Amino acid sequence: MSQIDLDAILAQRAEATGAEEGRIPFTFKGETFTFRDPMMLDDEDQELLEDIADSEDARLSEIAEFWMGEEEWERFRSAGGTAPMFRYIIEENSRREQEADAAGKSSARINRSQRRAAGRKR
């Protein structure tokens, strides 16, 4: 079995998603916006996102701001973007990643919730 080259895998994934410097682009009303590449979140950012999402009073706008960053989120909102629109972008990105996973182009990721569920099943 050959060695797994994570650098090559990440480069191929970046090319497929258009990601640059850990951000994935999308267009809206003729402007290009970006959000954090989920694959490139560090452990602290992943835990922060999970804390925001698990909060009882979590708002979609807070989650969108996490993904886009404050300035990018405000620019998106000024163009007429909304939190539900951004949620759709995240869901579409996830769908595309799953299709790529199914085609064998990248490896599957397991999030903390999936690990917890797997631990409860044992």
Side-chain angles (χ1 to χ4, degrees):
M1 180 182 271
S2 65
Q3 181 176 342
I4 297 171
D5 185 345
L6 185 56
D7 290 326
I9 292 169
L10 292 175
Q12 180 183 28
R13 184 178 176 282
E15 183 178 337
T17 61
E20 292 183 18
E21 298 178 14
R23 298 191 64 88
I24 297 174
F26 68 97
T27 58
F28 175 65
K29 294 198 176 180
E31 292 186 59
T32 299
F33 300 92
T34 64
F35 63 95
R36 294 173 170 200
D37 181 347
M39 181 69 77
M40 303 310 289
L41 293 181
D42 63 25
D43 292 340
E44 287 181 18
D45 286 337
Q46 183 65 42
E47 287 185 20
L48 176 59
L49 174 60
E50 290 169 1
D51 289 345
I52 293 169
D54 290 345
S55 170
E56 287 185 26
D57 60 345
R59 296 182 318 209
L60 284 177
S61 60
E62 291 173 314
I63 295 169
E65 186 174 328
F66 168 86
W67 283 111
M68 295 184 80
E70 186 177 352
E71 288 181 26
E72 192 78 342
W73 169 240
E74 288 303 322
R75 197 168 69 83
F76 179 65
R77 288 184 58 206
S78 294
T82 65
M85 287 176 184
F86 183 73
R87 180 177 60 193
Y88 178 80
I89 292 295
I90 290 292
E91 290 169 355
E92 178 65 14
N93 183 64
S94 179
R95 183 188 65 75
R96 290 178 181 198
E97 285 184 357
Q98 288 171 358
E99 286 176 358
D101 289 346
K105 295 182 182 172
S106 64
S107 61
R109 293 176 293 138
I110 299 175
N111 66 33
R112 190 165 83 175
S113 298
Q114 290 169 319
R115 288 191 304 267
R116 282 191 214 141
R120 287 190 291 262
K121 290 180 183 178
R122 292 181 192 164

